Amino acid sequence: MTLTMNTITYEKQGFIGILTINRPKAMNAFNNEVVTEVYVCLESLVKTDIRCLIVTGAGDKAFVAGADIREMQHLNPSEAAAFSRAGNAVMALLEDFPVPIIAAINGYAMGGGCELALSCDIRIASENAVFAFPEVGLGIIPGFGGAQRLARIIGIGNAKELIYTTNRITAQDALRVGLVNAVHPQEQLIDKCMEMAEKIAANAPTAVRVAKDVINKSMGMELHQSYGLEVLPFSACFLTNDRRMAMDAFVEKRPKDAFSGT
Ligand code: DAK
């Protein structure tokens, strides 16, 4: 399936989906139209057979350079609230999306663009990627859950430094603080992300989905509250043909079949 809208494109290769924010002339900045189209696309993918999704930006300069400042400039408070609600709905949909999402960060990831990446499961950057939270320099704060997610991912001290100073950091610095999982030359970025996506897609689909759900749920809990969270999901995996096939193959010392997702 391929899908082309005004500001996004979507294509599927095997079990991997690739969603591209496509406004390169505006550094793929997030306006209302992008937010709406990303939401519509993601919703339409929830019930498909994809096993991993890659999100990236068009061109070789920007992943997403944040919210569209030209559009935000004219928002009144109620329009700002509507933008906020729509943007947060997209971030929640990404975070709770049933299969893992890899952000392929191919350039500037500023403000809302960095928040978009933070809502994904795994972040892989190209060497030219630049990260920053410019919001307080524009008289606003990160509005798409960035403050909360950033502190959880890179620690509260690093998050506060980035948000209060609006400093730009390189891909290597992002790697050092744990903001991204890996850095690759730009021309290899999508191939490296596809490689990881294929590895994910080759594993038992139900188990991967359940693992994502359990990890996400436990992040909002104290450790002692999350004990036992996996009991029911773990037992549900025992209903799958994939679990039976993989365990039988191990015990019978033969290669596994491809996982069927059943
Ligand atoms: N919005 C609109 N246009 C943008 C843009 C942006 N964020 N970023 C770049 N562009 C446009 C530029 O205006 C320029 O357009 P033309 O002049 O050619 O028409 C074109 O993209 C190319 O940009 P530059 O000429 O500036 O390119 P450079 O290579 O020199 O610089 C840059 C690239 C990414 C460093 C620079 O463009 C830049 O600093 N961009 C702004 C980055 C930024 O401040 N982003 C916004 C962060 S604030 C909310 C939730 C979330 C948010 C807000 C509210 N609510 C809950 C309500 C999020 C806020 C943010 O993201």
Side-chain angles (χ1 to χ4, degrees), residues 23-27 29-30 61-62 65-72 75 80-81 83-85 88 108 110-113 115 133-135 138 140-144 168:
R23 287 187 78 211
K25 285 192 182 142
M27 299 274 169
F30 250 38
K61 290 213 173 119
D68 189 310
I69 302 171
R70 286 174 206 273
E71 190 177 80
M72 272 196 299
L75 295 184
F83 183 56
S84 171
R85 267 192 295 275
N88 276 304
Y108 289 107
M110 317 283 274
E115 296 180 289
F133 283 85
E135 282 89 343
L138 290 165
I140 55 176
I141 62 166
F144 292 149
R168 291 183 186 179

Side-chain angles (χ1 to χ4, degrees), residues 72-100:
M72 272 196 299
Q73 186 189 7
H74 303 294
L75 295 184
N76 63 38
S78 73
E79 288 165 341
F83 183 56
S84 171
R85 267 192 295 275
N88 276 304
V90 166
M91 302 302 155
L93 191 50
L94 287 164
E95 192 159 70
D96 298 337
F97 198 68
V99 303

